[in-house]
């Protein structure tokens, strides 16, 4: 969600090559690959070797195609102290990969004729959102979903968004080494609508004029967590139900993603991984703007979602009809909308690395890193979820070793 140093470097490098080798037996789920898709022959040995380099305390690695799950296995530990294994059914928040679910939900609301992607969001919201620099310019759901709304993240947002779920005291030495944003006590929790109104409406507690860029909507792509959360509130408003209920009804239940939720109270806490900064355990947190990065899931559940995305790309998905899946994947912007990005475009809350035929999203938050992409030519996808945020020198090399080992041949 919040472009931490490790995940930021992954975004910059989204294609690079590395490998290595060794072994162990953990829980695993494999399926005979389809004729057009084959895994690397020594995938277990290579991934075991990479795990043994000690960068990620626990992670899961997954490969899917339209036939189903080809590989899904956990490595290392979900709880280092108690030596509890990290498996394909371990759950953890997946940071900004969560935004893809906002995109699907937006198109589902569109499919249900609940909203117009190009209508002013003020037609739907319980409060008015206006860029004071351009008060007569409308902001639309499409602008929010393509990060061109002119709404940007501020320091005030970063300081207020994280809630220390159990009010655990954070060791000062850890805070010095690792910039933690979730210092706010649990009593500061508030509903999504209330938090966004405080951030976005002039005169409210967290309002900052810097939240609105000095440019019109639909001009420049600038990644916005606040804009993503606001899009979820638009969906919530038109559906007349909380966003977490809308996604449960229209995404999780249809795909039988039974281990997945936005709410800690709804998941099996015994399956929840600990969070780490290298070898230091971090306290659990919740996020006030939860749709932008707070989805809790496992690689087993997330693989069901990715399979439907790949099928949807081919015109055969179940979550959306053919036209709305096409809109979801369509390149939405022009070259002039991007500053310093080449061979890149976006769908609706979806990154498109055009040089590598890669469609998906990255995610990074304290103690968690996630990637979910599929190859639009091979029609095969990869998922990586880890419970460790690392500043070790070899962290990028180990990550790319894992990611490239999952590439199908």
């Amino acid at each position: 969600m919040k472009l931490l140093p490790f995940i930021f470097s992954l975004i910059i490098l989204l294609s690079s090559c590395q490998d290595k080798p060794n072994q162990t037996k953990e829980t695993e789920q494999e399926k005979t690959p389809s004729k057009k898709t084959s895994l690397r022959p020594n995938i277990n040995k290579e991934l075991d070797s990479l795990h043994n380099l000690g960068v990620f305390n626990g992670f899961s690695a997954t490969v899917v195609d339209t036939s189903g799950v080809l590989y899904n296995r956990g490595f290392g530990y979900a709880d280092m102290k108690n030596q509890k294994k990290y498996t394909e059914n371990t759950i953890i928040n997946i940071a900004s990969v969560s935004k893809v679910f906002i995109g699907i939900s937006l198109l589902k609301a569109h499919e249900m004729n609940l909203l117009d992607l190009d209508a002013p969001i003020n037609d739907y919201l319980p409060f008015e959102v206006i860029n004071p620099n351009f008060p007569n310019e409308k902001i639309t759901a499409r602008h929010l979903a393509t990060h061109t709304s002119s709404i940007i993240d501020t320091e005030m947002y970063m300081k207020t968004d994280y809630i220390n779920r159990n009010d655990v005291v954070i060791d000062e030495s850890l805070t010095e080494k690792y910039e933690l944003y979730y210092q706010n006590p649990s009593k500061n929790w508030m509903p999504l609508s209330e938090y966004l109104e405080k951030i976005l409406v002039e005169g409210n507690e967290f309002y900052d004029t810097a939240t609105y860029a000095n440019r019109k909507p639909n001009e420049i792509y600038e990644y916005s967590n606040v804009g993503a959360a606001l899009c979820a509130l638009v969906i919530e408003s038109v559906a007349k139900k909380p966003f977490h209920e809308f996604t449960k009804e229209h995404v999780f239940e249809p795909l039988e993603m039974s281990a997945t939720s936005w709410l800690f109270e709804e998941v099996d806490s015994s399956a929840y991984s600990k969070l780490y900064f290298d070898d230091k355990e971090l306290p659990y947190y919740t996020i006030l703007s939860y749709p932008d990065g707070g989805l809790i899931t496992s690689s087993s559940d997330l693989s069901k979602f990715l399979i439907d995305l790949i099928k949807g790309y081919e015109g055969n998905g179940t979550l959306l009809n053919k036209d709305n899946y096409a809109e979801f994947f369509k390149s939405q912007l022009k070259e002039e909308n991007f500053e310093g990005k080449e061979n890149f475009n976006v769908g609706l809350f979806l990154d498109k690395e055009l040089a590598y035929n890669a469609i998906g999203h990255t995610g990074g938050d304290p103690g968690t890193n996630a990637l979910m992409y599929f190859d639009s030519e091979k029609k095969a996808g990869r998922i990586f979820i880890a419970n460790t945020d690392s500043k070790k020198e070899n962290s990028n090399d180990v990550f790319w070793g894992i990611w490239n080992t999952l590439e199908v041949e």
Side-chain angles (χ1 to χ4, degrees):
M1 168 187 165
K2 312 296 189 294
L3 291 190
L4 299 171
F6 174 68
I7 204 70
F8 181 71
S9 64
L10 300 187
I11 293 169
I12 291 173
L13 282 164
L14 187 63
S15 190
S16 172
C17 263
Q18 297 243 57
D19 285 328
K20 303 212 154 100
N22 203 314
Q23 171 168 47
T24 330
K25 276 210 168 181
E26 312 257 358
T27 55
E28 63 183 67
Q29 174 185 335
E30 290 186 46
K31 180 174 180 176
T32 305
S34 63
K35 291 179 181 177
K36 64 177 180 180
T37 308
S38 61
L39 302 171
R40 288 166 73 133
N42 297 315
I43 187 170
N44 281 333
K45 188 176 181 181
E46 292 181 28
L47 291 174
D48 278 322
S49 177
L50 288 160
H51 167 253
N52 290 338
L53 292 174
V55 169
F56 299 110
N57 297 320
F59 68 89
S60 58
T62 309
V63 183
V64 303
D65 70 3
T66 54
S67 72
V69 176
L70 307 179
Y71 186 86
N72 191 23
R73 182 182 170 199
F75 296 80
Y77 295 98
D79 183 338
M80 296 285 287
K81 182 179 178 181
N82 295 302
Q83 298 286 281
K84 184 177 180 179
K85 298 289 187 181
Y86 196 109
T87 77
E88 68 275 11
N89 296 314
T90 297
I91 58 174
I92 192 170
N93 54 301
I94 56 170
S96 281
V97 175
S98 307
K99 290 181 176 71
V100 184
F101 289 81
I102 306 177
I104 286 290
S105 300
L106 178 64
L107 269 303
K108 176 53 72 172
H110 180 257
E111 183 178 301
M112 296 165 67
N113 295 314
L114 297 178
L115 55 73
D116 181 335
L117 297 175
D118 300 306
I121 56 174
N122 288 334
D123 288 355
Y124 309 121
L125 290 170
F127 51 84
E128 279 206 326
V129 174
I130 299 170
N131 183 335
N133 303 301
F134 299 94
N136 297 320
E137 296 291 327
K138 71 176 183 178
I139 297 172
T140 71
R142 191 186 302 275
H143 296 154
L144 296 173
T146 57
H147 298 289
T148 58
S149 68
S150 76
I151 297 170
I152 57 180
D153 299 334
T154 63
E155 191 62 30
M156 177 61 76
Y157 160 73
M158 301 298 277
K159 286 179 178 178
T160 57
D161 198 37
Y162 289 96
I163 301 295
N164 189 323
R165 188 175 182 276
N166 299 311
D167 293 319
V168 174
V169 176
I170 300 172
D171 186 85
E172 282 186 25
S173 64
L174 178 58
T175 314
E176 289 169 11
K177 292 179 184 176
Y178 180 57
E179 190 177 2
L180 298 175
Y181 297 109
Y182 50 95
Q183 300 280 348
N184 302 290
S186 60
K187 66 182 178 63
N188 285 20
W189 176 259
M190 66 189 80
L192 178 65
S193 179
E194 182 181 343
Y195 178 61
L196 291 176
E197 185 172 5
K198 287 187 176 187
I199 287 277
L200 293 165
V201 178
E202 187 174 2
N204 279 286
E205 184 180 358
F206 303 144
Y207 180 78
D208 183 340
T209 55
T211 299
Y212 297 96
N214 190 20
R215 60 172 177 268
K216 295 179 181 179
N218 202 38
E219 285 190 349
I220 298 296
Y221 170 94
E222 184 171 358
Y223 193 85
S224 175
N225 289 294
V226 176
L230 185 61
C231 190
L233 183 60
V234 169
I235 298 164
E236 183 172 294
S237 299
V238 299
K240 296 181 170 47
K241 64 177 62 178
F243 180 73
H244 65 87
E245 290 183 11
F246 186 86
T247 49
K248 183 176 183 179
E249 179 181 350
H250 295 288
V251 183
F252 308 153
E253 289 180 348
L255 294 181
E256 299 183 350
M257 297 174 66
S258 58
T260 299
S261 179
W262 301 96
L263 306 178
F264 196 93
E265 296 75 20
E266 288 187 356
V267 298
D268 178 3
S269 60
S270 68
Y272 206 117
S273 177
K274 300 292 186 182
L275 308 175
Y276 296 94
F277 167 58
D278 287 330
D279 59 342
K280 300 287 187 182
E281 186 177 324
L282 302 175
Y284 288 132
Y285 52 87
T286 52
I287 303 169
L288 294 180
S289 60
Y290 75 89
D292 71 18
L295 186 65
I296 302 164
T297 192
S298 65
S299 63
S300 291
D301 265 14
L302 192 57
S303 65
K304 297 173 184 177
F305 181 67
L306 182 54
I307 290 166
D308 201 75
L309 294 193
I310 301 171
K311 289 180 177 179
Y313 188 80
E314 293 189 310
N316 301 310
T318 61
L319 293 177
L320 300 173
N321 64 28
K322 191 172 182 178
D323 288 344
N324 279 283
Y325 248 133
E327 186 66 43
F328 176 65
F329 287 114
K330 184 177 76 176
S331 291
Q332 298 283 331
L333 302 180
K334 299 175 182 176
E335 192 174 338
E336 56 263 32
N337 296 123
F338 299 101
E339 294 180 332
K341 278 182 175 283
E342 295 181 358
N343 296 313
F344 181 80
N345 213 307
V346 294
L348 298 178
F349 290 119
L350 204 61
D351 292 346
K352 302 179 73 175
E353 298 286 348
L354 304 176
Y356 309 109
N357 305 309
I359 300 174
H361 215 291
T362 59
D365 253 328
T368 182
N369 285 287
L371 273 85
M372 180 186 73
Y373 278 85
F374 72 89
D375 185 309
S376 60
E377 288 194 349
K378 295 179 180 178
K379 308 298 188 300
R382 293 175 274 179
I383 297 169
F384 169 80
I385 306 173
N387 66 3
T388 313
D389 202 27
S390 179
K391 286 190 176 178
K392 292 180 180 177
E393 285 186 11
N394 64 336
S395 59
N396 282 336
D397 291 342
V398 172
F399 165 75
W400 285 114
I402 295 168
W403 189 247
N404 291 317
T405 300
L406 298 177
E407 187 169 9
V408 298
E409 297 176 343

